[in-house]
Amino acid sequence: MATKQVRYEALVKALHADLYRYAYWLCHDKHIAEDLVQETFLRAWRALDSLKDEKAAKSWLITILRRENARRFERKRFEMSEYEEATITDVGATSNEQEIENHWLREKIAQMPEEYREPLVLQVIGGFSGEEIASLLSLNKNTVMTRLFRARNQLKEAVDDEPKLRGLHNG
Amino acid sequence: MDDLQFRRSILADPKTRDDAINAALKSDPAKQKFVQETESLDSKIAQAMNIPVPEDLANKLILRQTLASHQQQKGKTRVRLAMAASVALVMGLTANFMLFSNTYKNLADYAIAHVNHEAAHFSNTDQPKVTLASLNEKMSAFKGSFASTFGTLIFADYCRFDGNKSLHLVFQGKSSPVNVFILPDDQDIEFVANFENSKLQGNSLHFNHSNIIVVGDKDEPIAQWQERVNKSITWSI
């Protein structure tokens, strides 16, 4: 019992941040992301004995979280993939230039199609390789690599255009 | 490796390095610049994606799990408690059944067993110690009294007679003590008027709400004893 508790707490401490961020980029809502993470860890606790390889813990948890997220859509059908301005964290009021840039980029990431964003989040936050992302998303590796390329390419183009937008904003 | 393919692989994974990419990087400063740009873009992306995590999330997760497993634990405890209670109940019933149920089917068996059990405590040469008054005091519990003594009474006290309170009298007999039991009429135990085994014989008399059983050895004139008891006893209502 004690060892299971210790394992669980270690798992929570090591991975809750990554999992929360991943959840956030899936649903664009702080509260839903938190709920998803809670639900995920609760299920993880119940099934903790089935986790044999600690190295696989992250992808295991992400799989649980994706399933939880899918369940959310089964429960109530409303389209969340459409980006809503109001749900994006507003940090503009009290932040410096770096924060403003982050905020701007966040909007760009949020506007990206789900199918491009998810592999990118898994790669950047999760640190997963192309193969791992492919197996997590049940896609083949070439598809994943193409999506990653397109995702970054979109952001790159957006960033390259940024100075003009900045200029406009700043008058 | 052509430029497009190079850009594709770097943009798909800026950290990817294989021989072809390394070779292309060495030979072309423009490609090095592209990698640098992409890496800097990637660090911006990473920064942007690193949205703040609620500070207390880890604690919340641990708390919620602790509560959930506590709830589970409580459920288990309840089940265990119920099981323990059932076992205790069954054991209690069994003990009750074994201790207080009528082990003997009839008066005769019990009377003989009782006499045999206590035979060692009495000897025919014991001095009489019980007065008529104290005997009658004890008899009052059975709503009866003796008008006179009808033999040498060496012992008189309450006994458990198969779970019932009874009065056990021991008289001096011819060769061995004679036992007289006065016990309340009990529906649960079968009344047997005359009985005997290899050594002992006995006789039971049934009154309104009492039975009187006389047990003695084979030489003893049990019928005579019974007759004496019958004559000297009076029952109040």
Side-chain angles (χ1 to χ4, degrees):
Chain A
M1 208 61 189
T3 52
K4 190 181 175 186
Q5 183 75 31
V6 168
R7 271 180 91 199
Y8 175 80
E9 284 181 20
L11 215 57
V12 167
K13 281 179 183 139
L15 298 175
H16 80 281
D18 282 354
L19 222 59
Y20 173 79
R21 290 185 178 123
Y22 174 73
Y24 177 82
W25 289 113
L26 274 185
C27 66
H28 307 298
D29 184 295
K30 283 192 270 184
H31 303 290
I32 296 176
E34 205 173 315
D35 284 353
L36 278 175
V37 173
Q38 296 233 3
E39 208 51 46
T40 301
F41 271 104
L42 212 58
R43 276 176 194 278
W45 163 261
R46 289 189 204 123
L48 199 57
D49 293 330
S50 71
L51 177 68
K52 299 291 179 229
D53 184 4
E54 302 292 335
K55 282 181 219 142
K58 200 192 237 178
S59 57
W60 182 65
L61 286 170
I62 282 184
T63 308
I64 300 176
L65 195 141
R66 292 191 82 230
R67 215 179 295 141
E68 280 307 312
N69 189 44
R71 219 180 290 258
R72 192 162 63 88
F73 288 104
E74 282 166 26
R75 280 202 292 265
K76 39 180 181 175
R77 274 205 77 76
F78 63 91
E79 203 49 64
M80 284 298 288
S81 63
E82 204 63 41
Y83 155 62
E84 287 170 48
E85 191 119 24
T87 61
I88 289 295
T89 325
D90 179 27
V91 286
T94 54
S95 56
N96 54 26
E97 198 171 338
Q98 176 67 54
E99 276 300 311
I100 293 169
E101 188 170 349
N102 280 345
H103 184 58
W104 177 85
L105 200 53
R106 254 170 222 161
E107 289 190 6
K108 295 291 164 214
I109 295 170
Q111 281 164 343
M112 242 196 289
E114 177 78 41
E115 55 180 23
Y116 294 168
R117 184 175 54 242
E118 197 174 359
L120 189 64
V121 172
L122 287 172
Q123 191 185 47
V124 175
I125 291 178
F128 290 109
S129 73
E131 284 92 350
E132 287 166 332
I133 297 169
S135 88
L136 273 171
L137 303 183
S138 320
L139 296 169
N140 78 43
K141 197 202 163 188
N142 286 337
T143 312
V144 169
M145 296 322 273
T146 304
R147 287 183 185 179
L148 283 168
F149 157 72
R150 288 196 183 142
R152 254 196 207 84
N153 208 29
Q154 278 190 5
L155 290 178
K156 190 176 165 58
E157 279 166 9
V159 171
D160 289 345
D161 290 343
E162 189 197 357
K164 277 182 262 167
L165 291 170
R166 267 289 169 74
L168 275 178
H169 279 310
N170 295 342
Chain B
M1 180 177 267
D2 64 42
D3 194 48
L4 185 63
Q5 204 190 339
F6 178 80
R7 282 167 174 262
R8 276 187 76 99
S9 11
I10 292 298
L11 280 177
D13 184 0
K15 294 189 192 75
T16 188
R17 292 291 182 274
D18 58 23
D19 290 347
I21 288 173
N22 283 335
L25 271 177
K26 254 183 200 165
S27 63
D28 192 344
K31 284 184 174 122
Q32 286 174 23
K33 188 166 176 270
F34 179 75
V35 169
Q36 272 172 11
E37 279 172 11
T38 311
E39 278 172 350
S40 109
L41 171 71
D42 229 39
S43 74
K44 280 182 193 164
I45 294 173
Q47 245 171 13
M49 280 184 177
N50 264 341
I51 46 143
V53 176
E55 269 175 41
D56 52 348
L57 183 59
N59 291 331
K60 264 190 208 168
L61 292 169
I62 291 168
L63 176 69
R64 208 175 146 192
Q65 172 274 317
T66 312
L67 289 178
S69 64
H70 178 69
Q71 210 66 25
Q72 235 175 352
Q73 207 62 29
K74 251 169 74 182
K76 274 186 198 158
T77 314
R78 216 171 287 146
V79 170
R80 283 192 196 130
L81 194 68
M83 269 155 62
S86 311
V87 170
L89 183 70
V90 168
M91 276 167 59
L93 286 175
T94 313
N96 188 46
F97 180 74
M98 281 166 47
L99 285 176
F100 299 112
S101 66
N102 299 316
T103 325
Y104 297 91
K105 282 199 192 88
N106 56 47
L107 284 178
D109 289 350
Y110 189 85
I112 287 172
H114 196 125
V115 170
N116 282 337
H117 183 70
E118 291 184 348
H121 298 296
F122 307 113
S123 120
N124 209 22
T125 55
D126 281 348
Q127 290 304 303
K129 307 177 239 191
V130 186
T131 61
L132 182 65
S134 72
L135 170 63
N136 280 334
E137 199 178 307
K138 292 191 168 86
M139 270 304 285
S140 64
F142 298 92
K143 294 178 181 160
S145 63
F146 289 103
S148 60
T149 46
F150 45 88
T152 318
L153 184 59
I154 52 180
F155 172 88
D157 216 337
Y158 296 119
C159 269
R160 288 235 149 248
F161 191 98
D162 200 17
N164 291 317
K165 187 183 176 185
S166 69
L167 189 59
H168 185 182
L169 312 177
V170 182
F171 293 92
Q172 250 175 33
K174 269 187 187 167
S175 53
S176 67
V178 175
N179 297 268
V180 175
F181 298 101
I182 296 133
L183 55 141
D185 192 15
D186 183 353
Q187 304 293 332
D188 292 342
I189 196 156
E190 193 190 333
F191 181 82
V192 179
N194 294 295
F195 53 91
E196 61 180 341
N197 71 356
S198 54
K199 280 189 213 154
L200 297 168
Q201 54 171 336
N203 201 334
S204 313
L205 265 185
H206 185 65
F207 296 91
N208 270 348
H209 26 246
S210 300
N211 290 319
I212 292 184
I213 304 166
V214 181
V215 184
D217 66 21
K218 292 261 166 141
D219 299 333
E220 211 63 52
I222 293 297
Q224 205 180 315
W225 276 101
Q226 193 69 270
E227 186 63 28
R228 283 185 217 161
V229 170
N230 204 1
K231 268 187 187 160
S232 66
I233 201 163
T234 51
W235 301 101
S236 60
I237 302 160

